Amino acid sequence: MAVPHLIRRGVSGGSPLHPLRGLLFASQEVGRRSLSSAAGDAADQLKGAREEVKQLLKATSCHPILVRLGWHDSGTYDKNITEWPKCGGANGSLRFDVELKHGANAGTVSLSLLIQPIKDKYSGVTYADLFQLASATAIEEAGGPKIPMVYGRVDVAAPEQCPPEGRLPAAGPPSPAEHLREVFYRMGLNDKEIVALSGAHTLGRARPERSGWGKPETKYTKNGPGAPGGQSWTSQWLKFDNSYFKDVKERRDEDLLVLPTDAVLFEDSSFKVYAEKYAVDQDAFFSDYAEAHAKLSNLGAKFDPPKGFSLN
């Protein structure tokens, strides 16, 4: 029996299409729909997780440490290493004890316990995506800019894939400007991005028992919210704005923290251009910060689908 031709109409008016080729095209279409459906399911899970993160923020005022969670997962990236996941970056490796015990991650273990119930509820969300989702959501919920995030990050599978210790920035290096450039240039970031990202210190506190920096408590932190104590960079340390740059520049309040890596932003000639600008122009700070945060969140990430996907 003759097999009927499948006809594809086109500019030429139509030509016979072999039935096997027709099946191939149909299979490709199903594959595209499957990918689209999978991305849709993942997006729905991420949206659910985002709402849970918002509730967690309202209940615990943990904005600063959620920001830190995303940064410390992605901030291990080394642009000079091309092999994934040896390059480090936003790959969910921070969930493993071996990395949580790195000196720069002191205090992060308790945070991972906060976020784990959300991961358990939305098991289709990778740790890498959840860490970055939580970080961006914390910025936005604190009054900061909308971060243009992309999702679909793939997790590393085992603690053996964690990056070596020592890739995250230190608070009090002997040469602060040189140290900041060494760390952030290794990630592929520039001076403007270094200064913009430093502005996230408008949120949070330093605790001497964890970092070795800051006072045990100040008039701004003795009553919380959250566990009391520590020293903040700004008086309203759960509000994202440009206060950090104003306060570091003026240094009028001994209860506000200024680390060597903060002070150098107004001492180094290149950094100072941006720090001075952000101190007087919050819109410019927000715009540059959102761009830099999004870039940081993608460092070293492997995406599935390859270009990732966005949430509405």
Side-chain angles (χ1 to χ4, degrees), residues 251-269:
R251 297 197 221 182
R252 294 179 180 175
D253 192 333
E254 292 184 355
D255 269 351
L256 296 180
L257 181 62
V258 179
L259 298 171
T261 45
D262 301 317
V264 77
L265 301 181
F266 285 92
E267 296 166 355
D268 179 88
S269 59

Side-chain angles (χ1 to χ4, degrees), residues 75-78 81 86-88 163-169 183 186-187:
T76 60
Y77 177 64
D78 187 338
I81 300 174
K86 288 184 179 180
C87 59
E165 186 167 6
R167 291 188 181 179
L168 295 172
V183 171
R186 186 207 70 222
M187 300 183 208

Side-chain angles (χ1 to χ4, degrees), residues 202 219-221 232-238 243 247 253 256:
T202 195
K219 60 179 177 284
Y220 302 118
T221 66
S232 58
W233 285 264
T234 63
S235 59
Q236 292 182 289
W237 48 270
L238 288 178
S243 294
D247 292 334
D253 192 333
L256 296 180

Side-chain angles (χ1 to χ4, degrees), residues 34 42 93 140 152 159 173 191 239 249 264 268 286 297 308 312:
S34 296
S93 63
E140 294 167 12
D191 284 0
K239 179 182 179 182
K249 180 180 180 179
V264 77
D268 179 88
F286 273 27
S297 76
N312 294 330

Side-chain angles (χ1 to χ4, degrees), residues 68-306:
R68 185 176 183 229
L69 182 66
W71 279 37
H72 282 215
D73 195 47
S74 62
T76 60
Y77 177 64
D78 187 338
K79 69 177 183 179
N80 301 307
I81 300 174
T82 57
E83 183 181 349
W84 186 90
K86 288 184 179 180
C87 59
N91 58 30
S93 63
L94 190 55
R95 72 189 189 273
F96 292 115
D97 286 344
V98 63
E99 188 169 345
L100 287 169
K101 291 177 180 177
H102 290 179
N105 290 326
T108 309
V109 174
S110 59
L111 174 58
S112 65
L113 296 177
L114 275 177
I115 210 81
Q116 187 61 45
I118 300 176
K119 169 62 178 167
D120 293 341
K121 184 173 181 179
Y122 297 96
S123 59
V125 176
T126 63
Y127 282 98
D129 267 354
L130 182 57
F131 293 164
Q132 300 306 324
L133 172 76
S135 183
T137 302
I139 293 291
E140 294 167 12
E141 291 296 293
K146 176 76 173 176
I147 312 296
M149 297 293 290
V150 177
Y151 296 99
R153 295 170 188 79
V154 176
D155 280 342
V156 294
E160 292 76 22
Q161 295 174 303
C162 288
E165 186 167 6
R167 291 188 181 179
L168 295 172
S175 302
E178 181 181 343
H179 174 72
L180 287 174
R181 289 193 173 98
E182 178 183 355
V183 171
F184 285 93
Y185 283 13
R186 186 207 70 222
M187 300 183 208
L189 301 174
N190 58 33
D191 284 0
K192 180 175 76 169
E193 291 160 338
I194 291 171
V195 179
L197 290 170
S198 295
H201 276 152
T202 195
L203 299 178
R205 303 167 282 179
R207 294 182 178 274
E209 68 273 18
R210 295 179 184 172
S211 65
W213 292 91
K215 297 179 180 180
E217 73 172 28
T218 70
K219 60 179 177 284
Y220 302 118
T221 66
K222 63 182 180 180
N223 296 318
Q231 186 176 13
S232 58
W233 285 264
T234 63
S235 59
Q236 292 182 289
W237 48 270
L238 288 178
K239 179 182 179 182
F240 194 95
D241 57 20
N242 67 336
S243 294
Y244 166 81
F245 295 104
K246 295 177 181 179
D247 292 334
V248 170
K249 180 180 180 179
E250 294 174 357
R251 297 197 221 182
R252 294 179 180 175
D253 192 333
E254 292 184 355
D255 269 351
L256 296 180
L257 181 62
V258 179
L259 298 171
T261 45
D262 301 317
V264 77
L265 301 181
F266 285 92
E267 296 166 355
D268 179 88
S269 59
S270 178
F271 290 158
K272 185 176 181 179
V273 171
Y274 304 107
E276 292 278 5
K277 179 181 180 180
Y278 299 153
V280 298
D281 189 341
Q282 181 166 284
D283 289 341
F285 167 50
F286 273 27
S287 177
D288 290 350
Y289 179 85
E291 184 178 335
H293 185 124
K295 182 175 178 179
L296 178 66
S297 76
N298 293 337
L299 296 180
K302 179 180 179 181
F303 287 94
D304 182 18

Side-chain angles (χ1 to χ4, degrees), residues 29-49:
E29 179 62 24
V30 170
R32 283 192 292 268
R33 289 176 181 173
S34 296
L35 286 173
S36 177
S37 176
D41 291 344
D44 287 343
Q45 288 231 342
L46 279 161
K47 289 176 183 178

